Amino acid sequence: MPRGDRDLILSRHDVRFLLHDWLHVDELTKRERFAEHSRETVDAVLELAADLAAEQFAPHNKRNDAEEPEFVSTDGVGRVRLHEEVAPALRAAAEAGLLSATMDAEVGGLQLPHVVGTAVQAWFHAANIGTWAYAMLTVANANLLQAHGTPEQIATWVPPMLEGRFHGTMCLSEPQAGSSLADITTRAEPQPDGTYRLRGTKMWISGGEHELGENIVHMVLAKIPGGAAGVKGISLFLVPKYLLDADGKPGERNDVALVGLNHKMGYRGTVNTLLNLGEGAHTPGGGPGAVGYLVGAAGGGLAAMFHMMNEARIGVGAGAAALAYTGYLKSLDYARSRPQGRPAGAKDPAAPMVPIVRHADVRRMLLAQKAYAEGALALVLYCGLLVDEERTAPTEAERIRAHLLLETLTPIAKSWPSQWGPEANSLAIQVHGGYGYTREYDVEQHYRDNRLNPIHEGTHGIQAADLLGRKVVMAGGAGFTALQETLSATISRAAEAGGDAAEYAAALRAALDRLVEVTGVLHAHPDAEERLANASVYLEAAGHVVVAWVWLEQLLAAAGRDDDLGRGKRAAARYFFRFELPKVGPQLDLLASLDRTSLDTDPAWL
Amino acid sequence: MPRGDRDLILSRHDVRFLLHDWLHVDELTKRERFAEHSRETVDAVLELAADLAAEQFAPHNKRNDAEEPEFVSTDGVGRVRLHEEVAPALRAAAEAGLLSATMDAEVGGLQLPHVVGTAVQAWFHAANIGTWAYAMLTVANANLLQAHGTPEQIATWVPPMLEGRFHGTMCLSEPQAGSSLADITTRAEPQPDGTYRLRGTKMWISGGEHELGENIVHMVLAKIPGGAAGVKGISLFLVPKYLLDADGKPGERNDVALVGLNHKMGYRGTVNTLLNLGEGAHTPGGGPGAVGYLVGAAGGGLAAMFHMMNEARIGVGAGAAALAYTGYLKSLDYARSRPQGRPAGAKDPAAPMVPIVRHADVRRMLLAQKAYAEGALALVLYCGLLVDEERTAPTEAERIRAHLLLETLTPIAKSWPSQWGPEANSLAIQVHGGYGYTREYDVEQHYRDNRLNPIHEGTHGIQAADLLGRKVVMAGGAGFTALQETLSATISRAAEAGGDAAEYAAALRAALDRLVEVTGVLHAHPDAEERLANASVYLEAAGHVVVAWVWLEQLLAAAGRDDDLGRGKRAAARYFFRFELPKVGPQLDLLASLDRTSLDTDPAWL
């Protein structure tokens, strides 16, 4: 572990390796949008993020878990008391400009590449995901508004969010409608003045109430009466906690009432709320309903939200990767310092104990964590680069290709880290033994926090249906073809490189060919239920193939390095190709058989 | 789900199926030791356990987690305040005779078969593992003393433990010695009166201090000065919290002091303590050290403790299985009542939502849980039967065979449920969606509680070394041979049965043959480090082969049943053979290659 990684959040060396040696971020700085930047400015922002994460976020991570947000009712109004260390940390990040790292200079952003912004976020996720979530939601909100709001809406709401004065939420789910957004029942009645009045109940709203700043900007999905059935009847509304007065300052309270808090297993620092809109707790202007402003076209709410949700999904993957990463570094640090036992085969009971990292089984658990954590982080950074490519690549063909590839990879970038990140955290606990199971150490919190990631922003099953049911067939299969071409190009380079790279290239070639073949079998099958019955298995197999590619890429990027970082990358790549990639064989065989076990099982038999 | 299972703890139908239709427990009642019993008495005890678990244990499970034990210091003496509902529940179980279900009638036991006692325990594990642990520790302690104590020690200490008046602990680990017990430093100085004085610090002591009853009986590992180095210098001592007065009543306080509590992620209802022995907090008789009584021979402590530890390891497996089971039933119940979305392929957005159990992916998650939970419970019950066989089978050859088989299966019966039980609980959360991640529902607690099981009573890695390094070679490989013969006999029966059973038999035959072959390769290999480097992978592959056998056995036992239980067993068996058993292929290939990835990785590269 290089000295700079001793804060045990992420590895500064590895982040630089991934961004520069692998993804060549400085190539982006030759483009007009990023012309103000260089390798030096990128590194300076990364160092700033790493330092702020270590100094302002990591120190209160455990306290923000143990002393979770509280519901307090004053004068009949529900409020939330957050841990006192949350606000100063968020203020420091906002003041450093890190909330608007990737946004346009004209709204006050640093206009950095998105891939760099992803790395910046990863530092804060790893240091304190509970506190950082408030910033993440706010940034996502600002991005959503930037993409779909009117110029006036953008001018009014985006700058105070980027300055950390206003915060944001996404209000999608309702108690009866989570995965199935078509079934939301919140209503938005048009008013003569062009605004709307919203009535309904929103569930699972992170950051739904608090007093971190001057205002909260809720982005709310609701249905305008008389609209289309299902998802086409859903529109997007901006519903502020406080309406703005004539000077643009927060004034009258809008009719958004906190009903209660959800008490989660982990991720406790982020308050999660149940909100009532238009239930009469506050009735501005005398009429019933919360005042809302339509964002984008009526009926276009879900499409707009999905634009943002794709970003949020990669953000979830980044969070899962970051938690896996910090858990890995902490268990590695523990394994190097904790003496216990003697190596296998050593017989002298009087010999001194060795640090547990000397036991092969402990190194296996560390290698697995390294393979999951660094693989997952690399995957989400690659997706960050694709965002830059889809926006700024020189030719339209390149931009379209990046877009298709990103769409195809998004369910994997969300799910793979969310599945293997918690597994990495479980191994981090295991390396610590009994100590890891106690709240005196960090890793049990990472394990609890990370367990949310396969649930929110679309469950594992929703991602699976998205990948197999939509993404691999969209645009005539062009996204899936782009993925194959991308992997194949790397396989060819690795085959030429010889040695381990060539061995792994052959294994990846075989797995990719089989994945393509099985995908064909599934999509040639006429019955939708049978085709999708094992979509989750497909998602998991495709994820392992993609991350094997990520490791082959890292191996090539580290070629010729004979330092610890290079050797570590080779060891983790070897682990992934020997221990992990072979798992896809039985999964793909199962898929090829169009197995009906789940379909044929009557609920009464369970 | 049959009506009797609506308390969502275990399935009464399934427990009866496993004990009677599969394991034919009534055959045991023909033996002299169990002559007082019959199918009717067995069923009556099981119903009693099920009712007590539902009425006395399940109701405070969440409260015993949320309001965990507290350290209170009065007059400079550390005490523990337990939740007020713990003591009455334990008293009810003791008064019902369930603590001594399997013990000799002459010490007040019901003298039931051990397999029935395992099922009884499973009810309490599932209902409230935190509260039940106090009883489990006490019973294990009584068993240990029964096996190794003098008649006087047994007469003095066992009856009050079985009556629930005294409680027990196991004091093995120390802060610097967990997996490596050879390195404990607690000392026991012999005294002229034949007693010992103990000084040292014991870590991770569950139930180390509380005021549930009149006394606590600590079973402590310590070294007598001048003894052998390593494990052969370890002896076992009985160290009571209160010394007994001339009338056998708890009198003077012994020098065992509570130093602090460990605050765990789960399993919170069971207080976990750090204890000091002989640090002068109390000095009975004026001398330094805690008064202890040698149990068994000097130097025989670890062997004696292992006798008990094997039982405790199967108990851990039973707890992991039971938590998986209750999580399964709760997520099944949720899936049947929660409406969300429409089946794949349904296009009408106005169609009513369906219960989520109608989605194939949800049934997949339920089948996986069923396969893990019922498979794990069946495995530990089978091990319970082997305890009965090793003690009461008619011929010595049968008793020896049962002993060898039990020894071989113990690391699997501990580890397999501990690995897949938490996975089942993770799926139970996933079925619940966001609700499952909140403390308003039960499953997040099961997930946290179950995560301890791969750690305590010998970690996953310790079990792996035990299986591959000791169990498969002990007695010239006789235990492993007995395992092969057992599986082969079932395979033959299944092959003759035809249909699905024959298909699965062929798959299990292939997996078993490959496991035997790989075991041979490993044991022919001269280098211990290389042989054992991937012992954990071996443990996991062997576990899946054994549980595939458990499912084949259940399938045969359910043959011809056309009720929901029979169909459910066939569905879960199909799931296991299609989705799970194939996972061992790549694992066994890796082992056959004597992979050196972990060995070759220098800690500096990580």
Side-chain angles (χ1 to χ4, degrees):
Chain A
M1 197 185 303
R3 191 168 317 213
D5 298 342
R6 283 285 171 199
D7 45 23
L8 308 178
I9 300 173
L10 300 177
S11 162
R12 296 179 195 226
H13 283 64
D14 187 32
V15 172
R16 280 197 295 268
F17 166 79
L18 293 172
L19 291 181
H20 297 307
D21 301 342
W22 178 40
L23 298 176
H24 303 291
V25 165
D26 51 355
E27 291 291 318
L28 291 175
T29 63
K30 294 172 187 162
R31 295 182 187 166
E32 194 185 332
R33 178 174 172 83
F34 309 120
E36 296 293 309
H37 290 290
S38 63
R39 177 164 181 151
E40 286 66 36
T41 64
V42 166
D43 284 346
V45 167
L46 290 171
E47 285 296 307
L48 177 64
D51 290 344
L52 261 179
E55 292 158 17
Q56 299 277 341
F57 284 75
H60 72 279
N61 186 47
K62 286 174 77 72
R63 289 190 289 275
N64 200 20
D65 175 71
E67 302 158 35
E68 66 183 337
E70 271 185 285
F71 181 99
V72 286
S73 176
T74 44
D75 308 330
V77 178
R79 297 174 196 276
V80 171
R81 185 182 299 136
L82 296 186
H83 196 278
E84 62 186 8
E85 293 172 273
V86 172
L90 291 169
R91 208 153 41 230
E95 282 167 8
L98 295 180
L99 262 58
S100 51
T102 63
M103 296 195 75
D104 296 354
E106 77 177 23
V107 293
L110 299 178
Q111 213 162 302
L112 275 160
H114 200 87
V115 59
V116 177
T118 306
V120 164
Q121 294 232 22
W123 279 102
F124 295 105
H125 283 305
N128 189 331
I129 204 163
T131 294
W132 181 249
Y134 299 100
M136 188 177 62
L137 285 161
T138 303
V139 170
N141 231 340
N143 279 332
L144 176 61
L145 210 50
Q146 183 87 351
H148 297 279
T150 63
E152 195 198 331
Q153 286 173 335
I154 296 170
T156 305
W157 302 102
V158 170
M161 288 202 272
L162 297 183
E163 290 158 19
R165 295 190 290 114
F166 291 8
H167 291 84
T169 78
M170 308 282 166
C171 299
L172 286 70
S173 297
E174 299 179 1
Q176 83 295 347
S179 292
S180 180
L181 287 173
D183 297 298
I184 63 169
T185 59
T186 296
R187 305 250 137 195
E189 290 281 352
Q191 304 295 308
D193 65 355
T195 68
Y196 290 77
R197 290 297 172 110
L198 281 79
R199 295 180 67 94
T201 303
K202 289 292 176 180
M203 182 64 167
W204 308 121
I205 310 309
S206 288
E209 176 55 36
H210 54 67
E211 286 157 18
L212 279 174
E214 302 163 26
N215 207 349
I216 299 177
V217 180
H218 303 288
M219 300 300 281
V220 182
L221 292 185
K223 290 179 175 172
I224 300 171
V231 298
K232 295 204 171 107
I234 297 175
S235 304
L236 177 64
F237 298 89
L238 188 159
V239 180
K241 174 178 171 183
Y242 295 106
L243 301 175
L244 301 187
D245 64 18
D247 301 331
K249 302 252 184 260
E252 196 176 3
R253 185 80 145 90
N254 201 357
D255 193 0
V256 181
L258 176 67
V259 180
L261 306 189
N262 296 305
H263 296 98
K264 304 190 298 303
M265 174 170 72
Y267 233 108
R268 293 192 189 187
T270 307
V271 69
N272 190 274
T273 63
L274 177 65
L275 299 179
N276 263 352
L277 280 72
E279 295 297 311
H282 316 275
T283 51
V291 175
Y293 311 105
L294 182 67
V295 177
L302 205 66
M305 196 57 102
F306 262 95
H307 175 264
M308 183 280 315
M309 187 119 67
N310 278 338
E311 230 179 278
R313 286 178 172 177
I314 294 167
V316 168
L323 290 174
Y325 212 123
T326 186
Y328 163 56
L329 293 181
K330 286 165 184 168
S331 64
L332 173 59
D333 189 58
Y334 183 84
R336 285 176 171 169
S337 60
R338 166 75 174 176
Q340 191 82 174
R342 286 148 201 91
K347 294 290 179 199
D348 176 11
M353 293 200 281
V354 297
I356 60 171
V357 75
R358 292 276 303 279
H359 300 303
D361 193 53
V362 171
R363 290 210 294 287
R364 179 188 62 82
M365 293 191 277
L366 293 167
L367 276 169
Q369 289 180 69
K370 185 178 171 78
Y372 301 150
E374 294 180 15
L377 182 63
L379 174 62
V380 296
L381 291 178
Y382 180 77
C383 289
L385 182 66
L386 289 178
V387 173
D388 293 314
E389 292 293 340
E390 85 176 330
R391 293 178 186 170
T392 68
T395 69
E396 194 186 353
E398 287 169 287
R399 292 193 295 273
I400 289 174
R401 191 175 174 284
H403 173 75
L404 289 168
L405 198 47
L406 179 61
E407 286 280 311
T408 307
L409 283 174
T410 296
I412 294 172
K414 194 273 180 183
S415 286
W416 197 90
S418 298
Q419 178 176 12
W420 298 98
E423 179 64 26
N425 291 149
S426 179
L427 290 169
I429 291 174
Q430 196 68 21
V431 168
H432 282 76
Y435 293 96
Y437 192 67
T438 68
R439 280 122 64 198
E440 277 75 33
Y441 284 74
D442 286 358
V443 287
E444 66 85 29
Q445 183 187 345
H446 301 322
Y447 179 71
R448 285 185 291 109
D449 288 352
N450 221 343
R451 185 61 190 78
L452 179 59
N453 288 318
I455 299 173
H456 64 166
E457 304 294 352
T459 64
H460 195 70
I462 292 290
Q463 304 303 320
D466 183 44
L467 179 65
L468 183 58
R470 295 182 55 242
K471 297 301 176 61
V472 303
V473 286
M474 67 177 184
F480 191 61
T481 300
L483 181 65
Q484 290 170 55
E485 289 169 357
T486 303
L487 270 59
S488 289
T490 308
I491 290 168
S492 298
R493 282 196 297 131
E496 280 169 28
D500 288 351
E503 178 196 325
Y504 305 156
L508 182 55
R509 163 56 62 204
L512 176 61
D513 286 350
R514 180 74 173 138
L515 176 67
V516 171
E517 181 188 8
V518 167
T519 307
V521 169
L522 289 171
H523 277 287
H525 192 71
D527 184 278
E529 267 205 312
E530 287 189 353
R531 194 164 62 234
L532 293 171
N534 299 304
S536 289
V537 177
Y538 183 87
L539 175 69
E540 292 169 19
H544 254 49
V545 169
V546 165
V547 176
W549 166 77
V550 164
W551 273 109
L552 194 53
E553 279 279 320
Q554 290 186 79
L555 187 80
L556 294 173
R561 285 182 77 135
D562 64 351
D563 57 357
D564 287 340
L565 188 143
R567 292 190 197 100
K569 289 291 181 191
R570 284 190 283 279
R574 180 173 163 186
Y575 171 84
F576 201 88
F577 278 91
R578 298 275 178 94
F579 286 69
E580 295 293 333
L581 183 60
K583 292 177 180 173
V584 307
Q587 292 175 319
L588 293 172
D589 290 348
L590 179 89
L591 288 160
S593 75
L594 287 154
D595 183 85
R596 287 189 52 92
T597 303
S598 303
L599 284 177
D600 289 344
T601 298
D602 189 295
W605 309 344
L606 293 170
Chain B
M1 195 184 305
R3 190 169 317 213
D5 298 342
R6 285 286 170 198
D7 44 23
L8 309 179
I9 298 174
L10 299 177
S11 161
R12 296 180 196 226
H13 284 64
D14 187 33
V15 172
R16 280 199 294 267
F17 166 78
L18 293 172
L19 291 182
H20 297 307
D21 301 339
W22 178 40
L23 298 176
H24 303 290
V25 164
D26 51 354
E27 292 292 318
L28 291 175
T29 64
K30 295 173 186 160
R31 294 181 189 168
E32 194 186 331
R33 179 174 173 83
F34 309 120
E36 296 294 309
H37 290 291
S38 63
R39 177 164 180 152
E40 287 65 37
T41 63
V42 165
D43 284 346
V45 167
L46 290 171
E47 286 296 306
L48 178 64
D51 290 343
L52 262 179
E55 291 157 17
Q56 299 277 342
F57 283 76
H60 71 280
N61 186 48
K62 285 175 78 71
R63 289 189 290 273
N64 200 20
D65 175 72
E67 302 158 35
E68 67 182 338
E70 272 185 286
F71 182 99
V72 286
S73 176
T74 44
D75 309 328
V77 178
R79 296 175 197 276
V80 170
R81 184 182 300 136
L82 295 186
H83 197 277
E84 62 186 7
E85 293 172 273
V86 172
L90 291 169
R91 209 154 41 231
E95 283 168 8
L98 296 181
L99 263 56
S100 51
T102 62
M103 296 195 75
D104 297 354
E106 78 176 21
V107 292
L110 300 178
Q111 211 162 303
L112 275 162
H114 200 86
V115 59
V116 177
T118 307
V120 164
Q121 294 232 22
W123 280 102
F124 296 105
H125 283 305
N128 188 331
I129 205 164
T131 294
W132 181 249
Y134 298 100
M136 188 176 62
L137 285 161
T138 302
V139 170
N141 231 341
N143 280 331
L144 177 61
L145 211 50
Q146 182 88 348
H148 297 281
T150 64
E152 196 197 329
Q153 286 173 333
I154 295 170
T156 306
W157 302 102
V158 170
M161 287 202 274
L162 297 184
E163 291 158 19
R165 294 190 292 114
F166 291 8
H167 291 83
T169 77
M170 310 280 166
C171 300
L172 285 71
S173 297
E174 299 178 1
Q176 83 295 346
S179 292
S180 181
L181 287 173
D183 297 297
I184 63 168
T185 59
T186 297
R187 305 252 137 195
E189 291 279 353
Q191 304 296 307
D193 65 356
T195 67
Y196 291 77
R197 290 297 171 112
L198 281 79
R199 295 179 67 92
T201 303
K202 290 290 176 180
M203 181 65 166
W204 307 121
I205 311 308
S206 289
E209 175 56 35
H210 54 68
E211 286 158 19
L212 278 175
E214 302 163 26
N215 208 349
I216 299 176
V217 180
H218 303 288
M219 301 299 284
V220 182
L221 292 184
K223 290 178 175 173
I224 300 170
V231 298
K232 295 203 171 108
I234 297 176
S235 304
L236 177 64
F237 298 89
L238 187 159
V239 180
K241 174 178 170 182
Y242 294 107
L243 301 175
L244 301 187
D245 64 18
D247 302 329
K249 302 251 184 262
E252 197 176 1
R253 185 80 145 89
N254 200 359
D255 193 2
V256 181
L258 176 67
V259 180
L261 307 189
N262 297 305
H263 296 97
K264 305 190 296 301
M265 174 169 72
Y267 233 110
R268 292 191 188 186
T270 307
V271 68
N272 190 276
T273 63
L274 178 64
L275 299 179
N276 264 351
L277 281 71
E279 294 297 312
H282 316 275
T283 51
V291 175
Y293 311 105
L294 182 67
V295 176
L302 206 64
M305 197 55 104
F306 261 95
H307 174 264
M308 183 282 312
M309 188 120 66
N310 278 338
E311 229 179 279
R313 285 176 173 178
I314 294 168
V316 168
L323 290 174
Y325 212 124
T326 186
Y328 163 57
L329 292 181
K330 286 165 184 168
S331 64
L332 173 58
D333 188 59
Y334 183 85
R336 285 178 171 169
S337 60
R338 166 74 174 175
Q340 191 84 174
R342 286 148 201 92
K347 292 291 180 199
D348 177 10
M353 293 201 279
V354 296
I356 61 171
V357 76
R358 293 276 303 277
H359 299 303
D361 193 52
V362 171
R363 290 209 294 288
R364 179 188 62 82
M365 293 191 277
L366 292 167
L367 277 169
Q369 289 181 70
K370 184 178 172 78
Y372 301 151
E374 294 180 15
L377 182 63
L379 174 63
V380 296
L381 290 178
Y382 180 77
C383 289
L385 182 67
L386 289 178
V387 174
D388 293 314
E389 293 293 338
E390 84 175 332
R391 292 178 188 170
T392 69
T395 68
E396 194 186 353
E398 288 170 285
R399 293 193 294 274
I400 289 173
R401 191 174 175 286
H403 173 76
L404 290 168
L405 198 48
L406 180 61
E407 287 279 311
T408 308
L409 283 174
T410 296
I412 293 171
K414 194 273 181 184
S415 286
W416 197 90
S418 299
Q419 179 176 11
W420 297 98
E423 179 64 26
N425 292 148
S426 179
L427 290 169
I429 291 174
Q430 196 68 21
V431 168
H432 282 76
Y435 292 97
Y437 192 67
T438 68
R439 280 122 65 198
E440 278 75 33
Y441 285 75
D442 286 358
V443 288
E444 67 84 27
Q445 183 187 346
H446 301 322
Y447 179 71
R448 286 185 290 108
D449 288 352
N450 220 344
R451 186 60 190 78
L452 179 59
N453 288 319
I455 299 173
H456 64 166
E457 303 295 349
T459 63
H460 194 71
I462 292 290
Q463 305 302 322
D466 182 43
L467 178 66
L468 183 59
R470 295 182 55 243
K471 297 300 175 62
V472 304
V473 286
M474 69 178 183
F480 191 61
T481 300
L483 181 65
Q484 290 170 54
E485 289 169 356
T486 302
L487 270 60
S488 289
T490 308
I491 290 167
S492 299
R493 282 196 297 130
E496 281 169 28
D500 287 352
E503 178 196 325
Y504 306 155
L508 182 55
R509 165 56 63 204
L512 176 61
D513 286 351
R514 180 74 172 140
L515 176 67
V516 171
E517 180 187 9
V518 167
T519 307
V521 169
L522 289 171
H523 278 287
H525 192 72
D527 184 278
E529 266 205 312
E530 287 190 352
R531 195 164 60 233
L532 294 171
N534 298 305
S536 289
V537 177
Y538 183 87
L539 174 69
E540 293 169 18
H544 254 49
V545 169
V546 166
V547 176
W549 166 76
V550 164
W551 273 109
L552 194 53
E553 279 279 322
Q554 291 187 79
L555 188 79
L556 293 174
R561 286 182 75 134
D562 64 352
D563 57 356
D564 287 341
L565 189 143
R567 293 190 198 100
K569 289 293 181 190
R570 284 190 282 280
R574 179 173 164 185
Y575 172 84
F576 202 88
F577 277 91
R578 300 274 178 93
F579 286 70
E580 294 293 332
L581 183 60
K583 291 177 181 173
V584 307
Q587 292 175 319
L588 292 171
D589 290 347
L590 179 89
L591 288 160
S593 76
L594 287 154
D595 183 83
R596 286 188 53 92
T597 303
S598 303
L599 285 177
D600 289 346
T601 299
D602 190 296
W605 308 344
L606 292 169

